[in-house]
Amino acid sequence: IKNFHGRPIFIKTSLPKRISRFTRELNENSILHSLKIAKEVRKLCLNSGNFGLLDEIVGFSHKGSGCIFREFDAYPKIKNRFLMPFFSIYSFDYKNPGEELIIEQISEKTGISIGNLLKWFLKNIIEFWCEAVKKKGLILEMHAQNTLLEIDSDFKPMRIVVRDFCSVGIDFKIRKSLKLHTNF
């Protein structure tokens, strides 16, 4: 939604239709789980310059179907930053098949080699995933749709941003050892 009380927002809804291998069902439990995970990831990202999230702020369900409202801008908010899902970086544009891949365009605009971009991507994705496990006992599902690249106005990669917390796993042993709640 472009203007939801003065700001853009995403709404993830239940969809009683098969998408790839899954049917997306947002019931009360999955919504509560997602909102609690978002709160934990928000704490993880607060003091990190390399990581962010698209915060899930509220959700509701009725008769087994539901929706989650997700922020449009990454948290913590930094001006003049832009997001793209990781799968778009290496995907061909079927409408413009001759156009360079986005990773090639980023390399040209920044002067950073594709090899160094890939090293930066992998280092920061792995670091984010490991920090979530080590500090929060969360096993993030950081595939190429749920993981976003944040760039600045000069196309320089700035942060790794995650979204979609319905399927995030919990390592209860780690959370208990860290004296964190296990109420998911």
Side-chain angles (χ1 to χ4, degrees):
I1 295 176
K2 290 182 181 179
N3 187 351
F4 182 78
H5 298 281
R7 65 181 189 193
I9 198 160
F10 293 110
I11 300 177
K12 178 180 179 178
T13 63
S14 292
L15 184 63
K17 181 179 176 181
R18 189 177 162 138
I19 303 172
S20 67
R21 299 177 297 161
F22 305 102
T23 300
R24 183 177 5 186
E25 297 173 358
L26 294 175
N27 58 37
E28 183 178 356
N29 287 340
S30 65
I31 291 168
L32 289 172
H33 177 83
S34 189
L35 294 173
K36 288 179 180 182
I37 296 295
K39 184 177 181 180
E40 294 293 310
V41 176
R42 190 179 319 122
K43 292 174 191 173
L44 184 66
C45 294
L46 184 59
N47 296 315
S48 169
N50 292 336
F51 312 133
L53 79 147
L54 289 187
D55 206 357
E56 296 184 351
I57 52 175
V58 69
F60 67 87
S61 68
H62 179 70
K63 296 184 180 179
S65 290
C67 68
I68 294 174
F69 288 67
R70 182 182 294 153
E71 292 284 359
F72 184 82
D73 295 311
Y75 174 89
K77 176 122 173 85
I78 302 172
K79 290 184 180 187
N80 299 318
R81 299 281 180 94
F82 309 93
L83 296 171
M84 62 185 76
F86 258 92
F87 67 80
S88 70
I89 295 169
Y90 54 81
S91 298
F92 289 98
D93 182 346
Y94 293 106
K95 292 184 180 181
N96 300 297
E99 193 168 287
E100 292 181 314
L101 298 176
I102 290 177
I103 190 169
E104 294 170 321
Q105 294 175 46
I106 291 172
S107 177
E108 287 175 12
K109 295 211 181 278
T110 62
I112 302 169
S113 72
I114 290 175
N116 284 337
L117 286 170
L118 291 172
K119 286 177 190 174
W120 188 92
F121 298 159
L122 291 172
K123 174 195 172 292
N124 284 284
I125 289 169
I126 292 167
E127 187 178 323
F128 197 165
W129 191 88
C130 290
E131 290 288 308
V133 171
K134 184 174 124 182
K135 293 182 177 178
K136 295 291 180 183
L138 302 177
I139 305 164
L140 298 176
E141 199 174 55
M142 293 181 71
H143 54 68
Q145 182 175 325
N146 288 353
T147 307
L148 306 149
L149 172 63
E150 183 180 70
I151 59 173
D152 67 12
S153 56
D154 294 322
F155 297 88
K156 183 179 178 198
M158 302 305 291
R159 283 193 298 188
I160 301 298
V161 176
V162 293
R163 66 177 174 194
D164 199 350
F165 306 113
C166 288
S167 300
V168 169
I170 311 296
D171 187 313
F172 292 101
K173 185 177 179 182
I174 291 173
R175 287 194 65 83
K176 286 177 184 174
S177 73
L178 295 170
K179 297 180 176 39
L180 299 171
H181 79 81
T182 57
N183 182 23
F184 290 97

